[in-house]
Amino acid sequence: MLTSEDPVIVGKGLDKFINYQIDRPKKRYARIAENYYRSEHDILNARLIVEDEHGGLIDAGINYQIPHSFFFVQIDQKVQYLLANGVQVEVDNDLPYKDELEEELKEYFDDDFNLAIDEIVEGASIKGAEYMYARTTAQDELKFEASDMLTTDTVFNDLREEVAVVRHYQETVADGKKEIRLRYAEVYTDDQVSYFIKDEGSKNNRGYALNQNVQPNPRPHVVAKSLKDDEKLLSRSYGRIPFFRMANNRLEESDLKPVKHLIDDYDRIAS
Protein backbone atom coordinates (compact mmCIF):
# COMPACT_ATOMS: atom_id res chain seq x y z
CA MET A 1 0.00 0.00 0.00
CA LEU A 2 2.85 2.41 0.74
CA THR A 3 4.22 2.05 -2.77
CA SER A 4 0.94 3.01 -4.42
CA GLU A 5 0.76 6.16 -6.53
CA ASP A 6 -2.63 6.92 -4.97
CA PRO A 7 -2.07 9.11 -1.85
CA VAL A 8 -5.38 7.95 -0.36
CA ILE A 9 -4.19 4.35 -0.39
CA VAL A 10 -0.79 5.35 1.00
CA GLY A 11 -2.47 7.33 3.79
CA LYS A 12 -4.54 4.34 4.84
CA GLY A 13 -1.46 2.13 4.84
CA LEU A 14 0.59 4.55 6.96
CA ASP A 15 -1.58 4.05 10.05
CA LYS A 16 -1.11 0.29 10.06
CA PHE A 17 2.56 0.45 9.11
CA ILE A 18 3.57 3.01 11.75
CA ASN A 19 1.57 1.35 14.53
CA TYR A 20 3.14 -2.00 13.66
CA GLN A 21 6.65 -0.57 13.62
CA ILE A 22 6.23 1.23 16.95
CA ASP A 23 5.23 -2.00 18.68
CA ARG A 24 7.97 -4.23 17.25
CA PRO A 25 10.10 -6.02 19.94
CA LYS A 26 13.29 -4.32 18.74
CA LYS A 27 11.65 -0.90 19.06
CA ARG A 28 10.37 -1.70 22.55
CA TYR A 29 13.83 -2.78 23.65
CA ALA A 30 15.37 0.30 22.01
CA ARG A 31 13.14 2.50 24.17
CA ILE A 32 14.29 0.60 27.28
CA ALA A 33 17.92 1.09 26.22
CA GLU A 34 17.35 4.83 25.77
CA ASN A 35 15.95 4.96 29.31
CA TYR A 36 19.05 3.21 30.66
CA TYR A 37 21.31 5.64 28.80
CA ARG A 38 19.45 8.42 30.65
CA SER A 39 19.91 6.48 33.95
CA GLU A 40 16.20 5.67 34.10
CA HIS A 41 16.60 2.05 35.21
CA ASP A 42 14.07 -0.60 36.19
CA ILE A 43 15.08 -0.11 39.84
CA LEU A 44 13.23 3.23 39.80
CA ASN A 45 9.97 1.32 39.39
CA ALA A 46 10.81 -1.15 42.16
CA ARG A 47 9.63 -1.02 45.76
CA LEU A 48 11.35 -2.52 48.79
CA ILE A 49 8.79 -3.88 51.22
CA VAL A 50 10.02 -4.51 54.77
CA GLU A 51 8.45 -5.77 57.98
CA ASP A 52 8.08 -3.28 60.80
CA GLU A 53 8.36 -4.01 64.53
CA HIS A 54 4.68 -4.90 64.70
CA GLY A 55 4.86 -7.46 61.93
CA GLY A 56 3.26 -5.19 59.35
CA LEU A 57 4.58 -4.59 55.85
CA ILE A 58 5.71 -1.10 54.91
CA ASP A 59 7.27 0.55 51.88
CA ALA A 60 10.94 1.30 52.60
CA GLY A 61 10.75 4.40 50.40
CA ILE A 62 12.63 5.86 47.45
CA ASN A 63 16.05 5.81 49.12
CA TYR A 64 16.28 2.21 47.97
CA GLN A 65 16.11 3.13 44.26
CA ILE A 66 19.64 3.91 43.17
CA PRO A 67 20.48 3.53 39.45
CA HIS A 68 24.12 3.26 38.44
CA SER A 69 25.00 4.85 35.10
CA PHE A 70 27.37 2.19 33.76
CA PHE A 71 25.60 2.03 30.39
CA PHE A 72 25.92 5.78 29.84
CA VAL A 73 29.67 5.59 30.52
CA GLN A 74 30.06 2.49 28.33
CA ILE A 75 28.41 4.13 25.31
CA ASP A 76 30.29 7.43 25.63
CA GLN A 77 33.62 5.66 25.98
CA LYS A 78 32.89 3.50 22.91
CA VAL A 79 31.99 6.52 20.75
CA GLN A 80 35.09 8.41 21.88
CA TYR A 81 37.31 5.40 21.24
CA LEU A 82 35.99 4.89 17.72
CA LEU A 83 35.70 8.52 16.64
CA ALA A 84 38.16 10.50 18.74
CA ASN A 85 40.00 11.63 15.60
CA GLY A 86 36.88 12.08 13.47
CA VAL A 87 36.39 10.67 9.98
CA GLN A 88 39.46 11.28 7.83
CA VAL A 89 39.65 10.85 4.07
CA GLU A 90 42.80 10.00 2.14
CA VAL A 91 43.07 9.70 -1.63
CA ASP A 92 45.38 7.14 -3.24
CA ASN A 93 48.65 8.74 -4.34
CA ASP A 94 48.39 7.04 -7.74
CA LEU A 95 45.16 8.78 -8.64
CA PRO A 96 45.31 11.83 -10.90
CA TYR A 97 44.24 15.15 -9.39
CA LYS A 98 44.82 13.73 -5.90
CA ASP A 99 45.12 17.10 -4.18
CA GLU A 100 42.08 18.59 -5.91
CA LEU A 101 39.98 15.53 -5.05
CA GLU A 102 41.02 15.63 -1.38
CA GLU A 103 40.04 19.29 -1.15
CA GLU A 104 36.70 18.54 -2.77
CA LEU A 105 35.97 15.69 -0.34
CA LYS A 106 36.86 17.82 2.69
CA GLU A 107 33.81 19.96 1.94
CA TYR A 108 31.62 16.93 2.67
CA PHE A 109 33.57 15.33 5.53
CA ASP A 110 33.55 18.46 7.69
CA ASP A 111 32.71 19.13 11.35
CA ASP A 112 28.98 18.77 10.68
CA PHE A 113 29.56 15.34 9.13
CA ASN A 114 31.65 14.21 12.10
CA LEU A 115 28.96 15.41 14.49
CA ALA A 116 26.37 13.40 12.55
CA ILE A 117 28.59 10.31 12.65
CA ASP A 118 28.99 10.70 16.42
CA GLU A 119 25.21 10.82 16.84
CA ILE A 120 24.67 7.83 14.55
CA VAL A 121 27.27 5.61 16.26
CA GLU A 122 25.89 6.64 19.65
CA GLY A 123 22.30 5.97 18.57
CA ALA A 124 23.13 2.62 16.97
CA SER A 125 25.06 1.51 20.06
CA ILE A 126 22.15 2.40 22.33
CA LYS A 127 19.25 1.20 20.18
CA GLY A 128 20.78 -1.41 17.88
CA ALA A 129 20.55 0.66 14.68
CA GLU A 130 20.34 4.25 13.49
CA TYR A 131 19.74 6.12 10.25
CA MET A 132 21.71 8.76 8.36
CA TYR A 133 19.72 11.23 6.28
CA ALA A 134 21.08 13.19 3.30
CA ARG A 135 19.68 16.62 2.48
CA THR A 136 20.61 19.64 0.38
CA THR A 137 20.82 23.06 2.02
CA ALA A 138 19.66 26.40 0.62
CA GLN A 139 23.29 26.96 -0.40
CA ASP A 140 23.10 23.77 -2.52
CA GLU A 141 25.44 21.88 -0.19
CA LEU A 142 24.98 18.20 0.58
CA LYS A 143 24.71 17.59 4.33
CA PHE A 144 24.14 14.51 6.46
CA GLU A 145 22.14 14.23 9.68
CA ALA A 146 21.14 11.49 12.11
CA SER A 147 17.55 10.23 11.96
CA ASP A 148 16.12 8.40 14.97
CA MET A 149 15.45 4.72 14.28
CA LEU A 150 12.46 4.90 16.64
CA THR A 151 10.72 7.20 14.16
CA THR A 152 12.33 6.06 10.90
CA ASP A 153 11.43 2.80 9.14
CA THR A 154 12.34 1.06 5.91
CA VAL A 155 9.65 -0.29 3.59
CA PHE A 156 10.44 -3.52 1.71
CA ASN A 157 8.64 -5.19 -1.15
CA ASP A 158 7.92 -8.91 -1.42
CA LEU A 159 11.48 -9.52 -2.64
CA ARG A 160 12.93 -7.80 0.46
CA GLU A 161 14.09 -4.89 -1.68
CA GLU A 162 14.12 -1.44 -0.11
CA VAL A 163 11.46 0.64 -1.84
CA ALA A 164 10.82 3.52 0.61
CA VAL A 165 11.63 5.01 3.99
CA VAL A 166 9.00 6.47 6.30
CA ARG A 167 9.91 9.10 8.88
CA HIS A 168 7.16 10.02 11.35
CA TYR A 169 6.76 12.33 14.32
CA GLN A 170 4.09 14.22 16.24
CA GLU A 171 3.47 17.58 17.85
CA THR A 172 0.81 19.13 20.06
CA VAL A 173 -0.60 22.52 19.04
CA ALA A 174 -3.03 24.85 20.79
CA ASP A 175 -6.40 25.45 19.14
CA GLY A 176 -8.22 27.96 21.30
CA LYS A 177 -8.67 26.40 24.73
CA LYS A 178 -7.89 22.87 23.65
CA GLU A 179 -4.80 21.07 22.46
CA ILE A 180 -4.66 19.03 19.27
CA ARG A 181 -2.17 16.30 18.54
CA LEU A 182 -0.93 16.25 14.98
CA ARG A 183 0.96 13.33 13.50
CA TYR A 184 3.24 13.76 10.49
CA ALA A 185 4.70 11.20 8.12
CA GLU A 186 7.19 11.63 5.29
CA VAL A 187 7.45 8.89 2.66
CA TYR A 188 10.74 8.90 0.72
CA THR A 189 11.24 6.90 -2.47
CA ASP A 190 14.15 6.99 -4.91
CA ASP A 191 12.69 9.95 -6.80
CA GLN A 192 10.36 11.89 -4.51
CA VAL A 193 9.06 12.59 -1.00
CA SER A 194 5.41 12.82 0.06
CA TYR A 195 4.28 14.68 3.19
CA PHE A 196 1.27 13.40 5.14
CA ILE A 197 -0.57 14.71 8.19
CA LYS A 198 -3.10 13.20 10.60
CA ASP A 199 -5.28 15.38 12.84
CA GLU A 200 -6.25 13.21 15.80
CA GLY A 201 -8.48 15.96 17.18
CA SER A 202 -10.67 16.25 14.10
CA LYS A 203 -14.17 14.78 14.17
CA ASN A 204 -13.66 13.76 10.55
CA ASN A 205 -10.32 12.09 11.23
CA ARG A 206 -9.80 9.58 8.43
CA GLY A 207 -6.15 8.85 9.02
CA TYR A 208 -3.20 10.28 7.15
CA ALA A 209 -3.77 12.57 4.17
CA LEU A 210 -1.48 14.67 2.02
CA ASN A 211 -0.41 17.79 3.89
CA GLN A 212 -1.88 20.68 1.93
CA ASN A 213 0.42 23.14 3.70
CA VAL A 214 3.34 21.67 1.76
CA GLN A 215 3.43 22.50 -1.93
CA PRO A 216 4.17 20.88 -4.23
CA ASN A 217 3.33 17.57 -2.59
CA PRO A 218 4.62 15.02 -3.55
CA ARG A 219 7.82 16.71 -4.63
CA PRO A 220 11.34 15.78 -5.78
CA HIS A 221 13.98 15.46 -3.05
CA VAL A 222 15.42 18.94 -3.70
CA VAL A 223 13.19 21.95 -4.45
CA ALA A 224 14.23 25.61 -4.65
CA LYS A 225 12.96 28.85 -6.12
CA SER A 226 14.81 30.29 -9.06
CA LEU A 227 16.82 33.42 -8.26
CA LYS A 228 15.78 34.85 -11.63
CA ASP A 229 12.10 34.02 -11.37
CA ASP A 230 10.32 33.59 -8.00
CA GLU A 231 7.45 31.79 -9.70
CA LYS A 232 9.73 29.13 -11.12
CA LEU A 233 10.67 26.10 -9.06
CA LEU A 234 13.91 24.21 -9.63
CA SER A 235 14.05 20.60 -8.56
CA ARG A 236 16.03 17.39 -8.73
CA SER A 237 16.09 13.98 -7.10
CA TYR A 238 18.97 11.99 -5.70
CA GLY A 239 18.11 8.89 -7.71
CA ARG A 240 18.05 6.84 -4.52
CA ILE A 241 16.33 6.91 -1.14
CA PRO A 242 18.29 9.51 0.89
CA PHE A 243 18.53 7.36 4.03
CA PHE A 244 21.28 4.99 5.12
CA ARG A 245 20.77 2.50 7.93
CA MET A 246 23.67 1.68 10.26
CA ALA A 247 23.39 -1.56 12.23
CA ASN A 248 25.19 -1.85 15.56
CA ASN A 249 25.97 -5.50 14.86
CA ARG A 250 24.77 -8.40 12.74
CA LEU A 251 21.68 -8.89 14.91
CA GLU A 252 21.01 -5.15 15.22
CA GLU A 253 20.95 -5.46 19.00
CA SER A 254 21.63 -2.81 21.60
CA ASP A 255 24.87 -2.81 23.60
CA LEU A 256 22.62 -2.91 26.65
CA LYS A 257 21.45 -6.46 25.99
CA PRO A 258 24.51 -8.39 27.26
CA VAL A 259 24.94 -6.19 30.35
CA LYS A 260 21.43 -5.24 31.43
CA HIS A 261 21.06 -8.09 33.94
CA LEU A 262 24.42 -7.16 35.48
CA ILE A 263 23.36 -3.52 35.85
CA ASP A 264 20.01 -4.55 37.33
CA ASP A 265 21.74 -6.87 39.84
CA TYR A 266 24.15 -4.12 40.87
CA ASP A 267 21.28 -1.65 41.24
CA ARG A 268 19.42 -4.09 43.51
CA ILE A 269 22.47 -5.02 45.62
CA ALA A 270 23.67 -1.45 46.07
CA SER A 271 20.23 0.05 46.73
Side-chain angles (χ1 to χ4, degrees), residues 223-234:
V223 176
K225 288 185 177 181
S226 171
L227 293 176
K228 298 179 180 179
D229 183 357
D230 288 343
E231 299 298 322
K232 183 179 181 181
L233 283 180
L234 306 177

Side-chain angles (χ1 to χ4, degrees), residues 159-204:
L159 300 176
R160 292 297 297 172
E161 297 170 333
E162 181 181 298
V163 293
V165 164
V166 176
R167 184 166 63 175
H168 50 92
Y169 57 97
Q170 66 181 41
E171 69 172 354
T172 302
V173 297
D175 182 13
K177 296 182 179 180
K178 65 178 181 178
E179 293 185 338
I180 297 176
R181 186 166 63 178
L182 300 175
R183 294 185 179 272
Y184 300 90
E186 303 165 359
V187 181
Y188 292 83
T189 64
D190 58 1
D191 62 353
Q192 69 178 24
V193 52
S194 303
Y195 297 89
F196 290 83
I197 187 172
K198 176 183 178 182
D199 182 354
E200 295 195 332
S202 172
K203 295 181 180 179
N204 300 320

Side-chain angles (χ1 to χ4, degrees), residues 71-179:
F71 187 54
F72 170 83
V73 175
Q74 172 188 332
I75 295 299
D76 279 18
Q77 287 182 343
K78 172 184 176 180
V79 173
Q80 290 302 314
Y81 177 78
L82 292 175
L83 300 171
N85 296 321
V87 176
Q88 301 179 6
V89 179
E90 293 184 0
V91 178
D92 194 312
N93 289 324
D94 296 332
L95 289 177
Y97 310 111
K98 172 183 179 298
D99 295 337
E100 292 86 344
L101 180 56
E102 281 189 345
E103 287 300 316
E104 188 74 21
L105 291 174
K106 284 180 181 179
E107 294 184 10
Y108 296 96
F109 297 96
D110 55 6
D111 291 341
D112 290 339
F113 181 84
N114 281 304
L115 178 60
I117 289 293
D118 278 4
E119 294 178 0
I120 292 163
V121 172
E122 177 186 286
S125 301
I126 296 171
K127 295 171 285 188
E130 195 70 304
Y131 283 85
M132 174 180 276
Y133 165 57
R135 67 179 184 87
T136 299
T137 68
Q139 292 72 38
D140 201 25
E141 296 175 345
L142 184 65
K143 296 291 184 180
F144 297 90
E145 298 177 356
S147 185
D148 191 353
M149 66 85 73
L150 291 173
T151 57
T152 310
D153 297 289
T154 304
V155 181
F156 297 95
N157 62 15
D158 294 338
L159 300 176
R160 292 297 297 172
E161 297 170 333
E162 181 181 298
V163 293
V165 164
V166 176
R167 184 166 63 175
H168 50 92
Y169 57 97
Q170 66 181 41
E171 69 172 354
T172 302
V173 297
D175 182 13
K177 296 182 179 180
K178 65 178 181 178
E179 293 185 338

